[in-house]
């Protein structure tokens, strides 16, 4: 493990507006770690409370029921934070976190993190905003599971993936490439269905020209059409 580079942390939203000296002092108490794609970073119910900052790559959050059913809680990309819940409340990890791609993370202890937030109210506000965003995302998924069909849940997930790959939320649509795209099985896990249902609807959308499909690549050619389908379903 190497000491985290303050220049890398400075680019993260949580450090916006902070003096360079404050960022450098904090980064000196962080360590940089690299995780290969597929490696577990945190385990559900782990009794640890370190905080991780995603510098490069994307991680995936999942939960497991007692019977082994997998529930997806989404992805976190560069600039995101993981592990802050346990650092704040001292409870075991609520989800498992796995490297979706090769990743570089900065890691620090809960005491260092809490002291930093106590002394830097601007950073504390950014962390609150990040927690609210995660809560809203979970609320959206609960609403989708309760009100939308499998096909419409897939549409919502495709738009989320596109937004992670550069599509601006609510802006006029443009062609957006999702690459590397999750497998059909991985998408099915995220929306609580089976692979065949995902494959069938993706192929239908491709036939209509809304998507382009190739190996581990989804080209969202008409995001406005997909938004329209989803908006109509939400009004029913």
């Amino acid at each position: 493990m190497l000491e985290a580079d303050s220049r890398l942390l400075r680019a993260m939203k949580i450090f916006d507006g902070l003096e360079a000296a404050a960022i450098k002092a904090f980064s000196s108490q962080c360590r940089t770690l690299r995780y290969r794609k597929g490696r577990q970073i945190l385990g559900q119910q782990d009794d640890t409370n370190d905080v991780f900052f995603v510098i490069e790559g994307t991680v995936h959050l999942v939960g497991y029921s007692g019977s082994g059913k997998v529930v997806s809680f989404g992805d976190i990309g560069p600039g995101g934070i993981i592990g802050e819940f346990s650092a704040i409340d001292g409870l075991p990890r609520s989800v498992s976190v796995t490297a979706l791609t090769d990743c570089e993370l900065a890691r620090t202890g809960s005491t260092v993190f809490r002291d930093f937030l106590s002394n830097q109210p601007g950073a504390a506000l950014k962390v609150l905003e990040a927690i609210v965003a995660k809560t809203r995302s979970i609320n959206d998924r609960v609403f989708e599971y309760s009100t939308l069909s499998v096909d419409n849940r897939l549409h919502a997930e495709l738009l989320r993936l596109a937004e992670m790959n550069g599509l601006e939320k609510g802006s006029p649509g443009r062609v957006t490439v999702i690459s590397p795209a999750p497998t059909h099985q991985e998408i099915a896990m995220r929306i609580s269905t089976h692979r065949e249902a995902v494959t069938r609807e993706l192929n239908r959308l491709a036939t209509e020209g809304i998507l382009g499909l190739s190996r581990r690549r989804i080209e969202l050619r008409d995001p406005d059409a997909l938004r329209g389908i989803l908006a109509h379903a939400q009004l029913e």
Side-chain angles (χ1 to χ4, degrees), residues 144-145 148-157 191-193:
E144 290 166 11
Y145 291 152
L148 297 180
S149 68
V150 167
D151 288 350
N152 293 142
R153 295 204 300 272
L154 174 59
H155 304 156
E157 185 65 23
I191 63 173
S192 191
T193 187

Side-chain angles (χ1 to χ4, degrees), residues 5 11 16 18 21 26 58 70 74 77 82 95 108 117 122 125 128 139 142 175 182 202 204 206 227 230 232:
D5 189 333
D16 282 353
L18 297 186
F26 180 73
T58 304
V70 181
I82 56 176
V95 297
T108 194
L117 296 185
L125 180 58
L128 285 175
N139 288 346
V142 170
V175 175
L202 287 176
R204 188 188 71 81
R227 287 167 173 160
L230 186 58
H232 178 75

Side-chain angles (χ1 to χ4, degrees), residues 111-184:
T111 300
V112 172
F113 179 67
R114 291 169 67 97
D115 287 347
F116 175 71
L117 296 185
S118 295
N119 294 316
Q120 300 291 342
L125 180 58
K126 294 292 194 306
V127 170
L128 285 175
E129 291 172 351
I131 291 174
V132 169
K134 287 182 180 181
T135 303
R136 286 186 183 276
S137 177
I138 293 172
N139 288 346
D140 288 345
R141 288 178 178 273
V142 170
F143 180 82
E144 290 166 11
Y145 291 152
S146 302
T147 64
L148 297 180
S149 68
V150 167
D151 288 350
N152 293 142
R153 295 204 300 272
L154 174 59
H155 304 156
E157 185 65 23
L158 288 171
L159 287 170
R160 271 192 292 269
L161 289 169
E163 287 162 8
M164 289 193 66
N165 285 268
L167 178 66
E168 293 185 20
K169 190 171 185 177
S171 67
R174 63 178 178 82
V175 175
T176 303
V177 174
I178 302 167
S179 179
T183 66
H184 294 190

Side-chain angles (χ1 to χ4, degrees), residues 90-115:
L91 297 177
R93 304 295 188 183
S94 57
V95 297
S96 290
V97 181
T98 302
L100 193 61
T101 65
D102 290 349
C103 294
E104 181 177 354
L105 307 178
R107 175 179 180 173
T108 194
S110 63
T111 300
V112 172
F113 179 67
R114 291 169 67 97
D115 287 347

Side-chain angles (χ1 to χ4, degrees), residues 194-221:
H194 52 84
R195 180 182 57 80
E196 292 78 9
V198 170
T199 300
R200 182 172 57 250
E201 180 61 9
L202 287 176
N203 288 338
R204 188 188 71 81
L205 293 171
T207 299
E208 294 186 3
I210 295 174
L211 299 181
L213 300 174
S214 56
R215 183 174 177 83
R216 298 309 301 272
R217 175 186 169 99
I218 298 174
E219 185 179 85
L220 183 50
R221 296 173 177 170

